[in-house]
Amino acid sequence: MSEPKPPTPTPGDTYKGWLFKWTNYIKGYQRRWFVLSNGLLSYYRTQAEMGHTCRGTINLATANIAVEDSCNFVISNGGAQTYHLKASSEVERQRWITALELAKAKAVRMQAESDDSGDDCPTLPPTSGQGGGCRNSEVQSTLRTLGSKVEDLSTCNDLIAKHGSALQRSLSELEGIRPGGDMGEKIRQVTERATLFRITSNAMINACRDFLTLAQTHSKRWQKALQVERDQRIRLEETLEQLAKQHNHLERAFRGATVLPPSFSNPAIDTKGSGGSGKGDASDEDDENEFFDAMEDPAEFITVPADPKYHRRSGSNVSGISSELGMDDQSLDEQSLASNPESPQPLEVELVRQRRTRIPDKPNYSLNLWSIMKNCIGKELSKIPMPVNFNEPLSMLQRLSEDLEYYELLDKAAKCQSSLEQLCYVAAFTVSSYSTTVHRTGKPFNPLLGETFELDRLRECGYRSLCEQVSHHPPAAAHHAISERGWTLRQEIALASKFRGKYLSIMPLGSIQCIFEKSNNHYSWKKVTTTVHNIIVGKLWIDQSGEIDVVNHRTGDRCHLKFAPYSYFSRDVARKVTGVVTDKDGKAHYVLSGTWDEKMEFSRIMQSSKGENGTEGKQRTVYQTLKAKEIWRKNPLPEGAETMYYFSSLALTLNEPEEGVAPTDSRRRPDQRLMEAGRWDEANAEKQRLEEKQRIARREREREAVKVASPTEEGTHQDNYQALWFKKIDDAMSGETMHVYSGGYWEAKDQGGWDICPDIF
């Protein structure tokens, strides 16, 4: 059945229809839905995409329209964007050409009307040195004129001050004089000085008026020149992005050349496709090139709103839904709150320590980065001596303690009656621990062996935690936190890192466990890979990528979280995280979505079914869900965070001096303390001293180990260091070997018994 023909376009109409757009030499022309409106030509893959995903837009005011043959025509805006289009017939092509010409004429006319006719120089960016010189000379002339006016104002100001002081003195003398012969002379002096003051004031007023008139005269012109510069900057940014996409495309095309069919390896085709006049321009939509992009996996599932019948209250469970999930999303909250009433607590007057809200601003010290990094490519980061210029004034133990910034999620999880709902909160907690890293490009201090850090927030937040560096090579830290609200968090993290020249990869090893006292639910998960980009050139930025499985070892429930890596060619929001909560039988109950730097939402699944095949032939699951609810949102950064290493409110307090902490506590580390105070040269010297002291202590331990070793073990030279507050066990529930808290720290703190602590600082 043929499609209805669109009407003949008239000026001001929005014109829509199907056209064939050239994509590349592999896929050729592809059918796309085009919309012409307000002087802009936009296109979409389907009509359904009009509400949310535009594949490209070109401004007709600066575009050229050329007819190639009976059905083909080309639209180009000077090189950055070129659309090669084909209509279904010559009549259809003529309709589009007419509509485009009318829209272009209207757009040009509207642009001309909005231009300031009083400008001497063109408002468009100069195309030659003459245009730039005209605008530059005009600006210089105006600045000279304004400068002279400012000098006039300054001179008038000095005169007003001088004559005003003289007038004040004369008035004072006039008040103190006795009636007599001098009265007339004094009055004459006052009159003269008042006249001088009035003349000077009038000159000041006139100079101000001239300055204001001149500034107003040039205000519009400067605003337009500023807008031109902004537009030019935007065009340059777009051009740079196009170049980056082309570079990325060529890199991936080169890597994927061995898997392409032989028919695509024709040199003639490659030459034609890479030429500047080829039809496969870089402004084409990103999805046309997805067959090269191994970094971006297709979505494993799709969520759609559930049928309205699931939102109606019913006395019986909906068919196909388990009794545990037989309520709507509002009754979920009602049940959770009703089953966990918080009885009013008696008001207690308790002095809570006021924590600091600022640290000294980060100094702006220059450093030749390449001179240090060029010899580090391929090495493990923990074995590279780095100056504090790359650091932030916190240790890795304190960064681990920052995971507790959103401890409220675990407090809420402890109140949940449903293990599946509890798993949603635990999963949100795992994501929240990455929110503090989005701007934190500074490297934390590597803890010294035996270094500790306590975070006692029992009065304010109901928890306290302890970290200890339990190994140096490889560096590993153990962490234990316990809350009065019924949960315990423990983790052992060892970092493996590699510098690859353009980026730095940090791979956390080890696991994190969370145990809830009331339900005995025992969860465990691991961390994803952190990548720091633009190490040598450009602005540093951080990405998190990988997958996490949060497992409830008691019930078999599982939440699979996926951290999508950043990609130029991805249509998804940056830093996206998705997850599905399933029971031990693999049935999905909740969907989580959001970003690791902003917020997470969760929604209950009412029904699931197999949907359409994805781009790689994988069948995707379609989940019918209730309305999504926010489960976590990032706290705003404190004021002035950009000058304080982008620390969060909690991070600002971590290195605050406290009485009674262990002598091995990170707060007592001198190089870190000097760096926070802005004394980086002293901090570097102190850092080298501490590292050498640690190396001497390690060699001593190895010598002791050799002395007590048996003859068969004499050549092993192993470090026999034993952690002070943690011990290594085999966890029966998770099947993992890790360091867990052995007790005694808080008792030693209460008694002041720090004699057993080693001297590491």
Side-chain angles (χ1 to χ4, degrees), residues 455-749:
L455 184 63
D456 191 350
R457 294 290 191 269
L458 207 58
R459 289 186 177 183
E460 301 102 311
C461 310
Y463 74 84
R464 59 185 180 183
S465 79
L466 175 68
C467 291
E468 182 180 0
Q469 186 76 357
V470 296
S471 172
H472 186 60
H473 284 302
H479 180 208
H480 179 271
I482 187 168
S483 171
E484 293 179 331
R485 279 79 184 262
W487 55 264
T488 300
L489 183 75
R490 62 193 190 194
Q491 58 181 320
E492 180 177 351
I493 299 296
L495 295 179
S497 52
K498 289 292 183 180
F499 175 55
R500 302 298 186 185
K502 294 198 306 184
Y503 62 90
L504 173 71
S505 293
I506 303 169
M507 292 78 69
L509 309 175
S511 69
I512 308 167
Q513 297 184 0
C514 187
I515 304 159
F516 292 94
E517 180 181 342
K518 184 177 180 180
S519 61
N520 283 328
N521 285 333
H522 189 130
Y523 298 90
S524 71
W525 65 92
K526 298 181 184 296
K527 287 183 174 286
V528 296
T529 298
T530 299
T531 306
V532 185
H533 295 270
N534 294 345
I535 293 293
I536 300 300
V537 178
K539 184 179 180 181
L540 292 174
W541 61 278
I542 290 178
D543 194 23
Q544 312 285 351
S545 60
E547 298 182 7
I548 295 178
D549 279 316
V550 185
V551 181
N552 185 340
H553 296 283
R554 188 183 72 83
T555 63
D557 301 336
R558 180 183 300 265
C559 178
H560 181 75
L561 292 170
K562 182 175 181 180
F563 289 66
Y566 176 80
S567 172
Y568 276 121
F569 296 88
S570 176
R571 297 186 297 273
D572 285 329
V573 64
R575 308 182 183 99
K576 183 177 181 181
V577 181
T578 55
V580 179
V581 174
T582 57
D583 58 24
K584 63 180 179 179
D585 299 321
K587 182 181 178 182
H589 293 271
Y590 288 93
V591 169
L592 292 95
S593 63
T595 57
W596 53 263
D597 68 323
E598 184 180 357
K599 66 176 181 178
M600 289 293 292
E601 296 177 336
F602 76 123
S603 51
R604 182 119 53 77
I605 298 171
M606 293 289 99
Q607 202 170 40
S608 64
S609 60
K610 293 297 181 182
E612 61 180 10
N613 290 341
T615 56
E616 296 182 358
K618 296 179 182 178
Q619 197 170 33
R620 295 185 290 185
T621 303
V622 178
Y623 294 127
Q624 293 187 28
T625 63
L626 296 178
K627 183 179 179 181
K629 305 183 101 177
E630 187 174 279
I631 191 172
W632 163 76
R633 178 176 287 274
K634 179 185 176 183
N635 296 328
L637 290 174
E639 185 179 355
E642 63 278 1
T643 65
M644 299 185 294
Y645 308 89
Y646 286 97
F647 280 179
S648 64
S649 297
L650 174 62
L652 289 173
T653 68
L654 294 181
N655 207 41
E656 186 176 9
E658 290 191 18
E659 296 293 332
V661 298
T664 55
D665 196 273
S666 299
R667 299 176 181 88
R668 299 184 183 272
R669 182 166 173 164
D671 54 348
Q672 190 172 298
R673 181 65 58 195
L674 288 167
M675 183 195 175
E676 182 183 280
R679 298 154 62 184
W680 284 16
D681 291 337
E682 297 174 62
N684 277 317
E686 191 65 24
K687 183 172 181 287
Q688 293 179 11
R689 182 190 70 81
L690 292 175
E691 290 171 349
E692 181 58 29
K693 182 177 181 179
Q694 181 172 235
R695 282 190 285 268
I696 294 172
R698 181 178 183 180
R699 287 195 291 267
E700 183 63 31
R701 286 195 305 271
E702 290 175 349
R703 282 195 293 269
E704 292 295 327
V706 171
K707 291 180 182 179
V708 300
S710 63
T712 58
E713 300 173 336
E714 192 169 344
T716 57
H717 298 278
Q718 292 184 350
D719 190 347
N720 60 349
Y721 177 79
Q722 298 293 327
L724 191 57
W725 309 110
F726 288 80
K727 62 181 179 180
K728 185 174 286 189
I729 66 165
D730 295 324
D731 183 56
M733 184 68 79
S734 64
E736 297 173 338
T737 300
M738 64 185 302
H739 282 83
V740 299
Y741 179 57
S742 57
Y745 178 88
W746 302 106
E747 293 78 8
K749 181 180 180 181

Side-chain angles (χ1 to χ4, degrees), residues 58-60 62-66 74-84 104:
I58 192 167
N59 188 351
L60 295 179
T62 58
N64 295 320
I65 305 170
V74 180
I75 304 175
S76 173
N77 65 354
Q81 290 175 293
T82 302
Y83 294 169
H84 294 263
K104 178 181 178 180

Side-chain angles (χ1 to χ4, degrees), residues 328-401:
D328 62 19
D329 62 341
Q330 182 170 350
S331 62
L332 170 69
D333 286 347
E334 290 172 355
Q335 176 173 334
S336 297
L337 294 173
S339 60
N340 294 284
E342 294 189 12
S343 57
Q345 299 295 327
L347 294 176
E348 296 181 5
V349 179
E350 190 172 301
L351 293 177
V352 178
R353 175 176 176 174
Q354 292 296 317
R355 307 285 176 178
R356 68 181 183 181
T357 58
R358 285 200 62 84
I359 61 173
D361 289 350
K362 178 181 179 181
N364 186 20
Y365 291 148
S366 60
L367 181 70
N368 188 348
L369 181 63
W370 179 242
S371 65
I372 297 172
M373 303 302 287
K374 65 181 180 181
N375 298 320
C376 304
I377 297 176
K379 295 181 181 179
E380 187 176 341
L381 190 64
S382 61
K383 297 183 179 180
I384 300 172
M386 304 284 272
V388 300
N389 304 59
F390 296 105
N391 288 31
E392 61 180 19
L394 290 178
S395 75
M396 190 62 202
L397 302 182
Q398 292 165 315
R399 284 290 289 266
L400 274 182
S401 302

Side-chain angles (χ1 to χ4, degrees), residues 128-146:
S128 65
Q130 184 179 1
C134 170
R135 189 166 60 190
N136 187 54
S137 61
E138 180 191 4
V139 171
Q140 292 299 326
S141 174
T142 304
L143 288 176
R144 284 193 297 270
T145 306
L146 287 175

